[in-house]
């Protein structure tokens, strides 16, 4: 078994301590954080998703894996985020109302922080009104909305509509993403950008300051 398979295996078995130790050891040996992410952790989560879909595993097992994934992401965080100097701008990020998935959001947050943008994280299950309040309070340049469920994507639209109703829509760029989200959906709801993954989201966010 190669090192990436080993990391993926520990993730799928939901072993946060062993997983964090192995990820740390790989970083110390010079393996790139991005390789660990793309060749081990993300495929591991996809495998868990497949087994969840086929009813081979259930919510408690997926939660345990999610905890292990977040532990591994915390180990990768310093390597993914470059040491920041003065932030070039501010972004708000959240998972929309009704949606508790936070791994993708956390990853997008880390990668955007890595470009020198300060990120304020409103967490999960974030209703449109809370985003509006936070935009008033923090005056961000960008609002990032994550949705993992077909039933919660609609709150990306509702959040954009709430920003419009509050007269704040033109003060921010709205970026949307998450597994069920597409470019067509983003266009339909009037988002400024759709990006399929965290690295592209970070690139796009950075491009607003070029
Ligand atoms: Co849930 N779940 N889940 N789940 N879960 C999915 C999403 C699902 C596809 C599984 C499946 O059936 N195969 C399915 C959704 C079906 C659908 O709507 N199309 C599903 C379901 C049905 C559910 C429940 C309804 C199950 C139930 O209770 N019966 C329930 C809903 C709870 C709720 O939110 N209200 C539920 C619960 C859970 C757990 C709590 C157990 C757990 C989440 C724990 C946590 O996040 N802390 C969980 C998990 C872990 C998953 C899977 C297995 C993995 C998601 C994940 O973290 N992927 C997922 C199956 C899958 O995705 N294969 C599944 C890894 C992560 C790195 O990828 O989040 O896609 P992702 O993020 C990517 C991109 O999408 C993008 O960048 C990231 C990385 O490059 N991106 C953005 C994400 N957000 C972005 C924002 C941006 C830009 C890019 O903005 C700028």
């Amino acid at each position: 078994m190669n090192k990436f398979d080993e990391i993926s295996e520990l993730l799928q078995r939901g072993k946060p301590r062993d997983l964090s130790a192995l990820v740390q050891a790989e970083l110390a040996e010079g393996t790139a954080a991005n390789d660990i992410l793309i060749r081990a952790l993300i495929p591991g989560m996809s495998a868990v998703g497949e087994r969840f879909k086929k009813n081979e595993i259930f919510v408690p097992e997926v939660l345990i894996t999610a905890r292990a994934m977040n532990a591994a992401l915390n180990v990768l965080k310093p390597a993914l985020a470059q040491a920041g100097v003065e932030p070039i701008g501010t972004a708000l990020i959240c998972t929309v109302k009704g949606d508790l998935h936070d791994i993708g959001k956390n990853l997008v947050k880390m990668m955007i922080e890595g470009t020198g943008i300060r990120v304020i994280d409103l967490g999960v299950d974030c209703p449109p009104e809370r985003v509006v309040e936070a935009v008033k309070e923090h005056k961000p340049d960008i609002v990032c909305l994550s949705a993992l469920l077909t039933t919660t994507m609609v709150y990306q639209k509702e959040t954009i509509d709430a920003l419009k109703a509050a007269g704040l829509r033109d003060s921010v760029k709205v970026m949307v993403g998450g597994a069920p989200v597409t470019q067509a959906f983003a266009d339909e709801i009037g988002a400024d950008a759709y990006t399929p993954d965290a690295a592209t989201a970070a690139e796009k966010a950075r491009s607003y300051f070029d």
Side-chain angles (χ1 to χ4, degrees), residues 15-209:
K15 300 277 180 202
R17 238 177 285 158
D18 294 351
L19 176 65
S20 298
L22 185 55
V23 168
Q24 192 72 68
E26 278 308 319
L27 284 176
E29 280 200 11
T31 307
N34 215 33
D35 280 345
I36 297 175
L37 189 62
I38 288 171
R39 297 173 66 181
L41 295 174
I42 290 184
M45 276 318 284
S46 299
V48 168
E50 280 308 305
R51 293 172 62 208
F52 186 35
K53 199 161 141 188
K54 292 184 197 151
N55 288 326
E56 290 171 5
I57 55 170
F58 300 96
V59 170
E61 288 103 313
V62 182
L63 262 179
I64 290 167
T65 319
R67 234 170 267 150
M69 178 76 171
N70 275 326
L73 287 180
N74 275 331
V75 176
L76 289 184
K77 189 174 178 173
L80 289 175
Q82 300 147 1
V85 262
E86 266 301 287
I88 55 170
T90 302
L92 277 184
I93 194 165
C94 69
T95 304
V96 296
K97 181 175 172 179
D99 199 322
L100 302 174
H101 296 85
D102 70 353
I103 295 172
K105 168 191 67 71
N106 293 344
L107 205 45
V108 172
K109 176 186 173 190
M110 277 178 206
M111 303 284 265
I112 292 183
E113 282 175 338
T115 71
I117 298 170
R118 178 171 77 115
V119 183
I120 296 165
D121 186 351
L122 302 180
V124 297
D125 188 15
C126 187
E129 317 81 77
R130 194 167 344 134
V131 177
V132 168
E133 284 313 307
V135 169
K136 284 183 188 157
E137 184 183 344
H138 300 288
K139 304 189 172 36
D141 306 284
I142 305 170
V143 171
C144 298
L145 304 172
S146 178
L148 263 287
L149 299 170
T150 42
T151 49
T152 58
M153 290 161 70
V154 60
Y155 291 110
Q156 293 184 326
K157 177 181 186 319
E158 293 209 2
T159 305
I160 292 175
D161 290 348
L163 287 170
K164 274 187 201 154
L168 295 166
R169 176 65 186 91
D170 294 338
S171 70
V172 291
K173 297 286 184 196
V174 178
M175 295 176 57
V176 294
V181 182
T182 60
Q183 182 66 56
F185 180 73
D187 293 342
E188 187 187 315
I189 67 174
D192 293 295
Y194 158 75
T195 52
D197 56 56
T200 323
E203 245 169 60
K204 184 72 198 174
R206 182 69 181 77
S207 75
Y208 289 128
F209 299 94

